[in-house]
Amino acid sequence: ELEEMFLTFEISGLGAFLPAWQEAHVYHGQAVTLLRGSEVLEGVVAGIDESGAIKLRDAAGCVSVYHSGEVSLRAETRESVS
């Protein structure tokens, strides 16, 4: 099965796997913080694109694509736990 997946990827790229990826993506629809060097961005994960870049929807509803950075879930309950 893995060999078949490699062949599919070689022929069709990541696009062939996007529906399954979006369904299984842990952060999909979650509010996150994206750290890119000194830049800190907040938004909701809107999936990935065919190149594997993360799509992030900001507070205004605009979706931007990022190829690098560190993603962390924003803990809404962090303050209430302390």
Side-chain angles (χ1 to χ4, degrees), residues 42-43 57-63:
E42 293 187 348
R57 183 179 324 278
D58 65 19
C62 297
V63 176

Side-chain angles (χ1 to χ4, degrees), residues 16 23-24 27 30 40-41 47 49 52 54-55 58 65 71 78 81:
E23 188 174 311
Y27 289 169
Q30 298 292 315
V40 178
L41 305 161
D49 71 6
I54 191 168
K55 298 189 296 185
D58 65 19
V65 176
V71 175
R78 191 178 299 163
V81 173

Side-chain angles (χ1 to χ4, degrees), residues 9 12-20 49-51:
F9 183 82
S12 304
L14 183 59
F17 300 94
L18 280 179
D49 71 6
E50 289 189 358
S51 72

